[in-house]
Amino acid sequence: MSQLVQYQVELDRTFAALSDSTRRSILLRLGRSEATVGELAAGFDMTLTGVKKHVLVLEEAGLVTTEKVGRVRRCRLGPRRLEDVEKWIESYRSMLEERLDHLEAFLERTKG
């Protein structure tokens, strides 16, 4: 798989993980401190199994890591940060700003 294709796959996986408000809330919670899946579930109106599924999506995106300690699974922020997403958003913002600059220049030229 080429580097560009791999980048796109990882970016898609990250955006998919971030597309859900529960998963974003889990990331915010883990930003304060690590927690067990049970502790995370206590903050949401859903089953332990439901929270586990959200954690798995975040884990597959590299945004969360888990470790089984005895009978509990501890979660913490993963090694992958959001630099790729930030870079993509910045390139998109630059493209939009360039288009707006061209539109502004066109409007100035056609002012009558």
Side-chain angles (χ1 to χ4, degrees):
M1 190 181 313
S2 79
Q3 212 172 17
L4 179 60
V5 170
Q6 181 62 33
Y7 170 77
Q8 291 296 336
V9 168
E10 289 175 9
L11 194 60
D12 289 348
R13 191 175 294 134
T14 302
F15 274 118
L18 294 173
S19 70
D20 184 89
S21 63
T22 299
R23 291 192 286 267
R24 291 190 305 271
S25 295
I26 289 171
L27 289 174
L28 286 172
R29 167 60 181 83
L30 293 176
R32 292 192 301 272
S33 67
E34 65 179 50
T36 66
V37 173
E39 291 168 340
L40 291 172
F44 299 98
D45 186 26
M46 68 174 58
T47 65
L48 190 62
T49 302
V51 171
K52 283 181 185 177
K53 288 179 182 179
H54 284 293
V55 168
L56 179 62
V57 171
L58 291 167
E59 194 170 22
E60 288 173 349
L63 299 172
V64 167
T65 60
T66 65
E67 176 185 13
K68 184 118 170 144
V69 180
R71 296 179 50 126
V72 298
R73 184 161 291 282
R74 298 211 55 81
C75 307
R76 67 181 59 84
L77 290 179
R80 238 183 118 236
R81 300 294 185 244
L82 299 176
E83 290 90 1
D84 291 345
V85 172
E86 232 177 331
K87 229 185 311 183
W88 183 86
I89 289 170
E90 184 53 41
S91 69
Y92 195 75
R93 179 182 297 129
S94 295
M95 179 198 59
L96 289 176
E97 287 174 358
E98 186 178 325
R99 285 182 172 194
L100 288 173
D101 290 344
H102 289 320
L103 177 60
E104 182 180 27
F106 172 77
L107 293 173
E108 286 297 319
R109 283 194 315 269
T110 58
K111 237 186 209 177

